Amino acid sequence: MKKIFFKRLFYFSIGLFFGLLFLNFIIDQKTDGKGVDYCYFPNCRVLKDLRKNGDFNAFLKDSVLVDGTVLFNKSETRTSPCQRYVVEYAEIEYRFERCDTVVSYLK
């Protein structure tokens, strides 16, 4: 009885290994080797959208739009055609305006 269990466990672990290897290869191909970034919360989704559609300097793109916090109570999210977001980073507020496909930094 124990031999059968260990034999099945061995085959299962081989299949699991190849499955994870295949999944890793597919995810690498889909994300161009950058890894997977899941954004489920509104703060993360807004920051990711601002990073993706904006052309900013390295400080804004690598620090403010990665580690910042969106202040939704100060942001104008329901206006059209452009929404304005306030992002707080290191006790300083940064303002961004997101139109259809362009994001700009407001000073």
Side-chain angles (χ1 to χ4, degrees):
M1 185 78 166
K2 287 185 179 181
K3 282 187 175 183
I4 294 173
F5 174 74
F6 286 119
K7 187 176 181 181
R8 286 184 180 177
L9 184 64
F10 176 72
Y11 287 132
F12 173 77
S13 60
I14 288 175
L16 183 66
F17 172 74
F18 283 119
L20 290 176
L21 190 67
F22 179 72
L23 186 64
N24 187 24
F25 176 74
I26 295 295
I27 288 175
D28 252 6
Q29 293 294 321
K30 290 274 189 190
T31 60
D32 297 328
K34 296 178 186 171
V36 179
D37 186 22
Y38 296 107
C39 285
Y40 293 113
F41 297 109
N43 186 56
C44 183
R45 286 187 290 186
V46 169
L47 291 176
K48 184 176 180 180
D49 186 50
L50 293 175
R51 273 192 315 266
K52 183 177 72 169
N53 294 331
D55 186 26
F56 306 115
N57 61 20
F59 171 72
L60 287 175
K61 199 162 200 160
D62 295 337
S63 57
V64 174
L65 293 178
V66 172
D67 296 326
T69 303
V70 179
L71 302 176
F72 287 102
N73 57 349
K74 294 184 179 180
S75 300
E76 300 171 10
T77 59
R78 303 264 181 199
T79 58
S80 65
C82 299
Q83 294 86 27
R84 291 191 173 127
Y85 293 99
V86 178
V87 178
E88 184 181 46
Y89 177 75
E91 307 282 330
I92 301 172
E93 293 181 356
Y94 299 90
R95 301 185 185 284
F96 297 92
E97 184 176 58
R98 182 176 69 88
C99 295
D100 291 332
T101 58
V102 178
V103 176
S104 58
Y105 172 62
L106 305 174
K107 296 184 180 186

